[in-house]
Amino acid sequence: MIVVIDFGSQYNQLIARRVREQKVYCQIEPPDIDIERLKSLHPEGIILSGGPASIYEEDSPRATPEIFDLGVPVLGICYGMQFMVDALGGTVSGAEKREYGFARLQIRKEDALLAGVGQGTQCWMSHGDSITGLPQGFEVTATTENTPMAAAGDPARGFYGLQFHPEVEHTPKGKQMLKNFLFSVCGCRGEWTMKAFAEEAISEIRNSVGDKQVILGLSGGVDSSVTAMLIHQAIGNQLTCIFVDNGLLRQNEGVRLKKIFTQHLRMNIDYVDAADRFIDALQGVTDPEEKRKIIGKIFMDVFEAEAQKIKNADFLAQGTLYPDIIESQSAFGGPTSIIKSHHNVGGLPEKMKLKLIEPLKFLFKDEVRELGETLELPDELVWRQPFPGPGLSIRVIGEITAKRLEVLRRADAILLEEIRESGYYRKLWQSFAVLLPIKSVGVMGDKRTYENILAIRAVTSVDAMTADWAKLPHDLLGKISNRIINEVDGVNRVVYDISSKPPSTIEWE
Ligand code: XMP
């Protein structure tokens, strides 16, 4: 295993991901980790992450210099390299200005870290201070135009430093460098699997929960489902999942999810049918943000009332993923992370004095799906497309009525059926129908119609930050359109949304 010491860089979780991609287990620890604890982890190597601080600042984060006496290789990245150089007797000087952006790497000496990297490769720089003197035993191995000590190493002790970020996509050969560190320098074997991650996480949950109760807001999405599965395997019925049916779900979704979780997975599910409360409160509301506010507030009220009923509940579990915390990351990571304000249960833990359990917080979506498969979560849940908390309310554009919701639900069900049938479901990030608040003229049989327009949205994406409209085959689009117009009363025209994000968004509201 590899320990990443987290000096607060926005990229530190990415380092962990890159290591895990090589099938080497990796754990992130704070800079003040106790040396005895570090030893007990038996790392094959240590990576010192980058960070926003300057080594000169009085309260800049530091790890104990004893980490350099453990006899294990150390790779310092950016601030991590500067910390290492400073701790081992080299010098770091304040730079006049920050170096930020691309640079070309000139290799002066191909050591174990830089093997196979090649001359002139691009690397991503983002640092203020610069190294001006190396500790004894170190040698410069690469330079860039502005950074005479872009890479350095002391192979005898297994210490290496990179002034740039090998973990980001902007450093295309970064993966090679990390691989070199893991396999050539540290001697890792690359045999770690998601099964091992699950076992670790389960035992950690067991230890921290003890005999207390855990509650979890279950939406049926892959994140909350995998979290539930993991915690259920750890503590069984000490977990209660609260599922709030807000009446804004897709066709048959609530019933179907309830059945899978209670009958198939045998979990303790508190299913709350609060549809009327939500729908009533949304009467006459057309503004999307207003819709979100109303839904968020009622959700909190309903969830809190249910949670109060569970005695001895000390913990709240959330399926927070790494991309959820990436922008709201606290300075030095650590076990507590800031909850995004738009999160459905944001605010609850403080209000109810619950401790948070976030077992997926270092994982990306594709890793969560892999974990779900490892835990034998049904495919239907593992491969579920993301669905927004406010549900269909933001897909009935304008005012929401029971009738309009029903029209959308039926059209959406047909769309999904065809998308699944065609084999596109897993290839798309999301695919759904949107009911527009305008009518158009049509002709059915011999009769003139004046009915709703329905839009189809299908996008590809890796993280929802950007998205492209999906190039679905025309005959598939034709079939969906035909079926919807013929089978759903109230729709006489179907259009396909061909906008990408940005400048559009995935949802219409
Ligand atoms: P946009 O529309 O901003 O959506 O491109 C990005 C992703 O977020 C989902 N989404 C939401 N999820 N509450 C949620 O839980 C919301 O209010 C919300 N709005 C959008 C959207 O479905 C897409 O996956």
Side-chain angles (χ1 to χ4, degrees):
M1 73 95 72
I2 295 286
V3 169
V4 174
I5 303 285
D6 173 6
F7 286 123
S9 157
Q10 57 172 322
Y11 303 128
N12 57 30
Q13 317 287 358
L14 214 47
I15 303 173
R17 180 186 168 115
R18 294 279 170 262
V19 173
R20 292 201 302 259
E21 273 172 3
Q22 299 302 325
K23 302 206 179 306
V24 174
Y25 182 62
C26 180
Q27 201 161 303
I28 300 179
E29 295 290 341
D32 60 1
I33 181 173
D34 183 75
I35 191 73
E36 291 307 320
R37 175 168 151 71
L38 187 58
K39 277 188 203 163
S40 74
L41 295 172
H42 302 295
E44 262 80 42
I46 296 171
I47 299 179
L48 307 171
S49 89
S54 159
I55 198 81
Y56 288 121
E57 288 164 14
E58 208 174 293
D59 52 358
S60 59
R62 283 165 188 272
T64 166
E66 289 171 280
I67 60 172
F68 300 109
D69 302 329
L70 294 177
V72 301
V74 180
L75 171 64
I77 296 174
C78 198
Y79 174 87
M81 180 189 192
Q82 295 173 0
F83 162 72
M84 175 160 70
V85 165
D86 186 68
L88 295 174
T91 46
V92 180
S93 308
E96 304 271 293
K97 64 178 188 3
R98 228 182 141 72
E99 187 188 5
Y100 186 80
F102 299 113
R104 294 263 160 220
L105 200 65
Q106 292 310 320
I107 296 183
R108 304 294 167 197
K109 183 177 181 199
E110 195 188 86
D111 61 358
L113 193 72
L114 300 177
V117 167
Q119 284 301 351
T121 185
Q122 175 184 292
C123 60
W124 179 255
M125 290 285 185
S126 172
H127 62 106
D129 300 342
S130 286
I131 291 161
T132 44
L134 288 172
Q136 232 175 13
F138 274 78
E139 198 179 346
V140 173
T141 53
T143 59
T144 68
E145 201 177 301
N146 295 325
T147 310
M149 297 181 185
D154 175 353
R157 290 190 284 177
F159 295 163
Y160 295 88
L162 298 173
Q163 188 55 82
F164 53 90
H165 290 273
E167 68 276 23
V168 302
E169 296 289 341
H170 302 311
T171 306
K173 291 289 174 138
K175 268 185 201 167
Q176 179 67 43
M177 298 174 207
L178 289 171
K179 250 168 97 169
N180 288 343
F181 180 69
L182 298 177
F183 301 119
S184 308
V185 178
C186 301
C188 295
R189 288 189 307 276
E191 291 168 354
W192 177 77
T193 57
M194 205 38 110
K195 189 161 179 281
F197 176 88
E199 282 163 8
E200 281 279 329
I202 286 170
S203 99
E204 207 168 295
I205 293 163
R206 256 184 217 141
N207 285 339
S208 50
V209 171
D211 60 356
K212 302 289 188 207
Q213 299 286 316
V214 179
I215 47 181
L216 177 142
L218 186 71
S219 70
V222 57
D223 309 344
S224 66
S225 301
V226 171
T227 308
M229 196 74 180
L230 200 60
I231 297 176
H232 187 250
Q233 291 194 6
I235 56 166
N237 280 347
Q238 278 166 265
L239 169 72
T240 304
C241 301
I242 301 175
F243 184 97
V244 179
D245 186 341
N246 58 11
L248 302 164
L249 303 173
R250 288 177 140 156
Q251 199 168 66
N252 298 329
E253 201 161 39
V255 179
R256 174 108 194 105
L257 287 169
K258 187 175 172 185
K259 198 166 157 192
I260 297 178
F261 280 98
T262 51
Q263 292 178 16
H264 183 54
L265 300 174
R266 306 253 158 222
M267 288 193 201
N268 210 349
I269 303 291
D270 178 12
Y271 185 95
V272 197
D273 181 358
D276 290 347
R277 260 187 87 173
F278 284 91
I279 308 291
D280 288 351
L282 288 167
Q283 287 291 310
V285 179
T286 54
D287 177 65
E289 282 313 299
E290 186 74 8
K291 288 179 183 175
R292 281 191 174 82
K293 263 192 218 140
I294 292 170
I295 291 165
K297 174 155 189 339
I298 299 178
F299 180 90
M300 291 271 280
D301 289 351
V302 174
F303 190 91
E304 197 180 348
E306 289 304 311
Q308 301 284 13
K309 294 181 194 163
I310 298 159
K311 296 213 167 53
N312 222 359
D314 270 20
F315 296 89
L316 176 76
Q318 285 186 335
T320 317
L321 304 196
Y322 171 48
D324 297 333
I325 56 172
I326 196 165
E327 277 150 13
S328 50
Q329 182 74 30
S330 60
F332 305 121
T336 48
S337 56
I338 299 157
I339 307 159
K340 256 182 157 182
S341 61
H342 82 249
H343 204 287
N344 281 339
V345 283
L348 264 184
E350 299 89 61
K351 204 168 160 194
M352 298 177 57
K353 302 200 167 46
L354 295 170
K355 286 176 235 156
L356 267 184
I357 303 184
E358 296 175 302
L360 313 183
K361 73 171 181 176
F362 293 146
L363 303 186
F364 287 77
K365 198 79 156 185
D366 56 328
E367 292 181 308
V368 172
R369 292 207 159 112
E370 197 188 330
L371 178 60
E373 289 195 318
T374 306
L375 296 169
E376 295 181 13
L377 191 71
D379 265 12
E380 175 178 349
L381 295 171
V382 170
W383 291 100
R384 210 175 184 78
Q385 291 177 355
F387 187 69
L392 300 183
S393 78
I394 52 169
R395 294 180 183 169
V396 170
I397 307 303
E399 192 179 345
I400 301 156
T401 62
K403 177 145 188 288
R404 291 182 71 77
L405 266 176
E406 193 46 34
V407 169
L408 176 64
R409 241 184 218 123
R410 293 186 51 205
D412 187 69
I414 292 170
L415 164 82
L416 271 194
E417 201 181 302
E418 292 299 332
I419 293 282
R420 283 209 172 91
E421 180 91 350
S422 67
Y424 268 89
Y425 185 81
R426 285 192 191 187
K427 294 182 204 156
L428 299 173
W429 174 263
Q430 277 173 291
S431 46
F432 55 88
V434 182
L435 186 63
L436 308 191
I438 41 170
K439 290 188 162 191
S440 81
V441 173
V443 53
M444 258 190 166
D446 290 332
K447 267 182 38 204
R448 176 188 189 272
T449 59
Y450 187 53
E451 298 283 11
N452 294 293
I453 304 179
L454 187 109
I456 295 172
R457 181 77 164 139
V459 296
T460 53
S461 175
V462 283
D463 54 10
M465 304 285 281
T466 61
D468 198 7
W469 62 276
K471 315 297 182 289
L472 294 179
H474 288 178
D475 52 354
L476 173 61
L477 287 169
K479 193 169 176 202
I480 294 169
S481 163
N482 265 341
R483 276 199 62 195
I484 291 175
I485 294 172
N486 282 318
E487 295 174 36
V488 182
D489 268 353
V491 176
N492 70 353
R493 191 176 297 269
V494 170
V495 295
Y496 189 48
D497 180 351
I498 54 166
S499 356
S500 292
K501 173 183 179 174
S504 300
T505 53
I506 296 174
E507 303 290 344
W508 277 43
E509 282 198 334

